[in-house]
């Protein structure tokens, strides 16, 4: 019997990339590859890169170089780049980074096993040639479902799924999702965390002047509800307690399936999946929020009243230059509508400062919004030109030193305001999902207003033994910045079944 091939997947960037990595892992496991956690123990290290902003791109390059160093130290024989940066730059990345033995685009994902085997055997696979993926799908959203386009994290076409089923071993490795029907992907979990992401859609039809994502992720296309439900049920069977729905724009879900309100129908079905404790929806566009969606998000049992709203700014002139809509007062009104339905609802957003043409008055308007918004988490980024975006061609660029000053100022303000918002939660009773338990940090969990890794956490105090995946009821007794300290109440909702 030939020696088993080993592969490690190193994932950078957002939750969408994590889903893509687990699809790649599923395909590779089904084709006989052994998955290992440490790139130093792998024949091939696959780095799933991020191509969103300069800092993320630098992290991706650093990860590739670090993986390349392993070729001189251990068994690692090849380093391969996939993901958004590989898709966006392709051959350019390969030329700039000869340490990578392969640069593969999204179109290579269905044949990832063959691609890696070719590279591992000393062969050469031509580096990906970038193209504007918006042009691969029909202009009309209604015509996109039948298009034959690679969509990482989505169900594949019927022939691809059939091939996956026929080539997969009869006894699939533990933790591997078999293809279920003609459109379901193979997926292999790469961790044991009680939370997992599920792709609701890919791409974006919005044309924000600062954003390059649609050019390499493509136009918006929804996954079918049956595929989302099937994958969610499988994750629950694997012990997942919280599912986070991700895409570039969840508020557009269903528009290409003939029902822009499809998310409002789907959420109660997902919440009813046996074993799940919480459903979370991320990436919501303020301009597309509708009363029915707010109602479902604030009133459906097990659906977190959580609003990850992409405001980006609040000064009308800056927003129009960004090709976005709204203003301070409209955004505050939207938050008031949400809190009228659910006073404890969580809200977070990201903001860009130093956008071309931004004035001191615009910064003051953003400050006014932040002071009134009572956001639980705030991300602040300094503007920088992105290749191929409209904003990169704008005049009236803000001096980089001024951008840095505004970034530092708004970041300090955001830190103060989110700490104040955390203090407002003193005395609140929360449902907290235990994420991890360790000797150094104790019992760490997240409440409904806290998404993984971005929105703070809850330190639980209890004399009870808790395990990851347990949902408990706790009262907030103190704060540390955005983080909360809470005492577990009564039996905490702890049941033997909840921790399984």
């Amino acid at each position: 019997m030939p020696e088993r091939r080993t592969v490690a997947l190193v994932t950078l960037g957002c939750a969408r990339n994590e889903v893509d990595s687990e699809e790649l892992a599923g395909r590779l496991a089904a084709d006989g590859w052994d998955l290992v956690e440490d790139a130093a123990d792998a024949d091939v290290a696959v780095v799933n890169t991020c191509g969103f902003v300069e800092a993320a791109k630098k992290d991706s390059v650093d990860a590739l170089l670090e993986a390349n160093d392993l070729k001189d130290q251990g068994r690692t024989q090849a380093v391969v780049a996939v993901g958004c940066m590989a898709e966006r730059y392709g051959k350019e990345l390969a030329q700039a980074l000869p340490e990578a033995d392969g640069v593969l685009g999204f179109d290579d994902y269905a044949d990832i096993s063959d691609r890696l085997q070719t590279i591992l055997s000393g062969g050469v696979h031509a580096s990906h040639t970038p193209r504007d993926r918006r042009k691969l799908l029909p202009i009309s959203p209604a015509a996109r479902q039948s298009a034959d386009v690679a969509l990482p994290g989505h169900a594949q076409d019927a022939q691809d799924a059939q091939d996956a089923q026929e080539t997969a071993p009869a006894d699939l490795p533990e933790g591997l999702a078999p293809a279920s029907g003609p459109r379901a992907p193979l997926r292999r979990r790469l961790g044991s965390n009680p939370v997992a992401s599920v792709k609701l859609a890919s791409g974006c039809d919005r044309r924000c002047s600062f954003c390059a994502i649609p050019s390499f992720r493509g136009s918006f296309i929804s996954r079918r509800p049956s595929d989302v439900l099937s994958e969610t049920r499988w994750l629950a069977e694997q012990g997942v307690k919280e599912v986070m729905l991700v895409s570039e724009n969840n508020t557009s879900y269903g528009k290409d399936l003939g029902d822009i309100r499809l998310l409002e129908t789907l959420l109660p079905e997902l919440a009813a999946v046996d074993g799940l404790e919480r459903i979370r929806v991320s990436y919501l566009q303020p301009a597309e929020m509708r009363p029915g969606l707010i109602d479902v998000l604030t009133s459906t049992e097990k659906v977190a009243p959580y609003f990850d709203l992409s405001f980006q700014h609040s000064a009308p002139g800056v927003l129009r230059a960004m090709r976005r809509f709204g203003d301070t007062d409209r955004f505050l009104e939207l938050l008031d509508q949400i809190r009228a339905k659910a006073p404890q609802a969580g809200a977070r957003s990201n903001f860009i400062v130093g956008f071309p043409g931004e004035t001191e008055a615009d910064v003051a308007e953003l400050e006014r919004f932040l002071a009134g918004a009572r956001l639980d988490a705030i991300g602040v980024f300094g503007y920088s030109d992105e290749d191929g975006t409209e904003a990169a061609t704008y005049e009236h660029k803000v001096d980089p030193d001024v951008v840095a000053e505004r970034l530092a100022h708004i970041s300090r303000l955001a830190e103060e305001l989110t700490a104040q918002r955390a203090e407002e939660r003193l005395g609140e009773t929360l449902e907290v999902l235990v994420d991890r338990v360790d000797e150094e940090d104790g019992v760490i969990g997240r409440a409904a207003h806290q998404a993984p890794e971005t929105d703070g956490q809850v330190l639980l105090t209890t004399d009870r033994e808790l395990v990851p995946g347990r949902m408990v009821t706790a009262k907030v007794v103190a704060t540390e910045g955005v983080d909360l300290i809470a005492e577990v109440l009564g039996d905490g909702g702890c049941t033997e079944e909840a921790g399984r």
Side-chain angles (χ1 to χ4, degrees):
M1 178 179 293
E3 184 179 354
R4 299 276 290 187
R5 303 158 295 177
T6 57
V7 59
L9 287 114
V10 180
T11 306
L12 293 95
C14 65
R16 301 185 292 275
N17 255 16
E18 294 172 5
V19 176
D20 295 350
S21 286
E22 293 197 348
E23 178 194 316
L24 292 174
R27 291 181 176 280
L28 290 166
D31 205 35
W33 290 74
D34 284 339
L35 300 167
V36 296
E37 291 187 13
D38 193 339
D41 298 327
D43 296 318
V44 183
V46 177
V47 180
N48 191 348
T49 61
C50 178
F52 181 40
V53 293
E54 285 303 318
K57 286 183 272 189
K58 181 182 183 302
D59 289 344
S60 295
V61 170
D62 289 346
L64 287 163
L65 292 174
E66 183 178 342
N68 181 71
D69 290 342
L70 298 175
K71 288 195 290 187
D72 300 325
Q73 301 173 13
R75 64 172 294 170
T76 306
Q77 300 174 47
V79 176
V80 175
V82 299
C84 291
M85 192 175 181
E87 175 65 36
R88 184 177 181 183
Y89 295 105
K91 291 182 177 180
E92 181 182 342
L93 176 63
Q95 293 169 358
L97 200 69
E99 291 87 352
D101 299 288
V103 176
L104 307 181
F106 297 152
D107 294 333
D108 292 306
Y109 282 21
D111 301 307
I112 187 67
S113 178
D114 290 342
R115 300 289 186 265
L116 297 190
Q117 186 59 58
T118 295
I119 293 167
L120 187 60
S121 300
V124 176
H125 181 73
S127 297
H128 166 66
T129 300
R131 51 183 173 168
D132 189 336
R133 296 192 74 85
R134 290 172 292 194
K135 299 178 180 179
L136 303 182
L137 289 168
I139 294 177
S140 169
R144 292 174 188 166
Q145 288 291 323
S146 59
D148 183 16
V149 176
L151 298 167
H154 281 233
Q156 306 301 315
D157 60 43
Q159 185 60 50
D160 180 49
Q162 181 178 341
D163 291 345
Q165 287 175 311
E166 291 175 353
T167 59
D171 184 16
L172 288 172
E174 182 180 357
L176 180 64
S180 174
R183 297 183 59 84
L186 290 164
R187 178 170 178 174
R188 173 73 178 266
R189 292 213 71 201
L190 293 174
S192 57
N193 193 290
V195 60
S197 297
V198 171
K199 270 200 179 177
L200 198 60
S202 282
C204 187
D205 287 341
R206 304 186 71 85
R207 292 295 178 262
C208 302
S209 62
F210 58 83
C211 184
I213 289 176
S215 67
F216 56 85
R217 278 289 184 180
S219 298
F220 184 89
I221 183 167
S222 305
R223 289 184 72 192
R224 294 186 180 276
S226 58
D227 294 341
V228 177
L229 274 165
S230 176
E231 188 169 339
T232 299
R233 291 189 183 106
W234 175 78
L235 287 168
E237 291 169 359
Q238 298 296 310
V240 169
K241 297 300 179 182
E242 177 178 325
V243 161
M244 185 164 69
L245 301 179
V246 299
S247 77
E248 280 72 23
N249 178 10
N250 282 332
T251 33
S252 282
Y253 180 68
K255 73 175 187 179
D256 52 324
L257 295 171
D259 185 0
I260 191 60
R261 295 177 176 81
L262 193 55
L263 183 55
E264 287 97 301
T265 304
L266 178 60
L267 283 171
E269 295 185 65
L270 293 171
V273 171
D274 288 343
L276 285 186
E277 297 286 351
R278 182 183 289 155
I279 301 291
R280 185 183 303 278
V281 184
S282 60
Y283 307 116
L284 301 169
Q285 286 290 340
E288 297 181 31
M289 289 299 294
R290 47 196 179 269
L293 181 55
I294 294 174
D295 286 344
V296 171
L297 287 170
T298 55
S299 65
T300 306
E301 186 179 2
K302 294 190 177 181
V303 173
Y306 174 79
F307 293 82
D308 178 10
L309 295 159
S310 178
F311 290 124
Q312 302 300 344
H313 212 284
S314 73
V318 175
L319 287 167
R320 301 305 173 268
M322 289 178 169
R323 297 204 178 278
R324 297 178 65 84
F325 305 94
D327 56 44
T328 294
D329 293 332
R330 292 185 197 180
F331 291 163
L332 291 176
E333 182 181 354
L334 173 60
L335 290 169
D336 286 343
Q337 292 172 0
I338 290 168
R339 290 173 176 138
K341 300 281 186 179
Q344 289 186 328
R348 78 167 321 276
S349 192
N350 293 325
F351 299 89
I352 298 172
V353 295
F355 192 80
E358 182 190 61
T359 66
E360 291 294 339
D362 294 326
V363 176
E365 185 67 3
L366 177 57
E367 292 178 20
R368 183 170 80 89
F369 170 69
L370 293 175
R374 297 169 54 228
L375 298 174
D376 292 280
I378 299 172
V380 188
F381 301 88
Y383 173 83
S384 62
D385 287 338
E386 280 293 313
D387 298 334
T389 62
E390 181 183 351
T393 69
Y394 285 179
E395 297 179 351
H396 308 297
K397 297 287 175 61
V398 179
D399 183 273
D401 289 339
V402 176
V403 174
E405 290 173 4
R406 291 178 182 176
L407 174 61
H409 171 64
I410 296 297
S411 295
R412 286 194 299 270
L413 177 63
E415 186 175 346
E416 293 173 4
L417 292 172
T418 51
Q420 290 174 16
R421 176 64 182 132
E423 290 176 357
E424 290 180 19
R425 294 191 179 275
L426 285 169
E428 282 189 6
T429 299
L430 308 173
E431 296 299 314
V432 180
L433 180 70
V434 177
D435 268 345
R436 69 181 192 277
V437 180
D438 57 53
E439 292 183 3
E440 182 177 351
D441 296 328
V443 182
I444 302 297
R446 289 176 299 101
H449 70 278
Q450 297 169 317
E453 299 181 3
T454 60
D455 301 339
Q457 58 192 17
V458 180
L459 172 63
L460 291 167
T461 60
T462 180
D463 56 3
R464 213 170 281 108
E465 184 175 345
L466 299 177
V467 296
R470 188 70 60 86
M471 185 73 84
V472 299
T473 303
K475 182 178 180 179
V476 181
V477 296
T479 66
E480 292 182 356
V482 297
D483 297 333
L484 306 178
I485 299 172
E487 294 179 349
V488 176
L489 299 177
D491 65 4
C494 300
T495 64
E496 190 65 28
E497 182 64 28
R500 291 178 183 170

